[in-house]
């Protein structure tokens, strides 16, 4: 499986390839593709992990993203930043990292 990541290319490369471990560098170069847009990163993906509070992620067309993803489509919000209720209505299986799911009896 190839993982795709969207973000500032130079920062990502610096963060992930700044390790002295040659095995880790090979793993990153082989299994990770840095892409230019969030739409490209999510095309045919099984899951999205949002780990930032960039404004861009608030305004993405999640309906189109969901349509282009492999189902079931999972979304993990690591910042508690997204409208989880709306994402659930679209069809995502969502997880707000650090928050428990509400259950009603």
């Amino acid at each position: 499986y190839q993982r795709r990541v969207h973000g500032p290319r130079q920062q990502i490369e610096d963060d992930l390839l700044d390790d002295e471990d040659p095995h880790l560098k090979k793993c990153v170069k082989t299994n990770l593709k840095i892409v230019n847009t969030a739409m490209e990163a999510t095309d045919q993906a099984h899951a999205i992990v949002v780990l930032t509070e960039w404004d861009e992620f608030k305004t993405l067309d999640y309906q189109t993203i969901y349509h282009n993803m492999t189902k079931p489509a999972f979304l993990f919000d690591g910042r508690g930043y997204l409208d989880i209720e709306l994402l659930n209505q679209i069809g995502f299986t969502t997880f707000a990292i650090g928050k428990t799911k509400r259950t009603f009896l």
Side-chain angles (χ1 to χ4, degrees):
Y1 296 98
Q2 186 177 53
R3 282 82 176 162
R4 288 171 275 168
V5 63
H6 166 59
R9 180 176 297 275
Q10 191 60 53
Q11 181 181 350
I12 293 168
E13 288 175 351
D14 288 350
D15 289 347
L16 295 175
L17 297 175
D18 191 29
D19 197 289
E20 297 298 319
D21 181 354
H23 177 70
L24 178 61
K25 285 183 181 183
K26 180 181 178 189
C27 241
V28 167
K29 287 182 178 183
T30 303
N31 297 305
L32 189 69
K33 180 179 181 183
I34 302 169
V35 296
N36 295 320
T37 68
M39 295 299 275
E40 185 181 357
T42 59
D43 187 43
Q44 298 303 307
H46 290 279
I48 301 170
V49 180
V50 178
L51 299 172
T52 183
E53 294 175 0
W54 291 352
D55 288 340
E56 171 187 6
F57 292 98
K58 271 274 200 197
T59 59
L60 290 173
D61 180 354
Y62 284 100
Q63 185 70 50
T64 299
I65 289 172
Y66 178 79
H67 176 75
N68 293 332
M69 289 180 69
T70 302
K71 308 304 181 288
F74 298 93
L75 191 144
F76 298 85
D77 179 4
R79 305 298 267 175
Y81 182 69
L82 301 175
D83 185 342
I84 295 297
E85 202 169 298
L86 174 65
L87 294 167
N88 285 329
Q89 290 173 4
I90 290 171
F92 285 98
T93 300
T94 59
F95 298 90
I97 299 171
K99 295 184 179 184
T100 59
K101 284 195 172 222
R102 293 183 186 162
T103 55
F104 299 97
L105 300 175

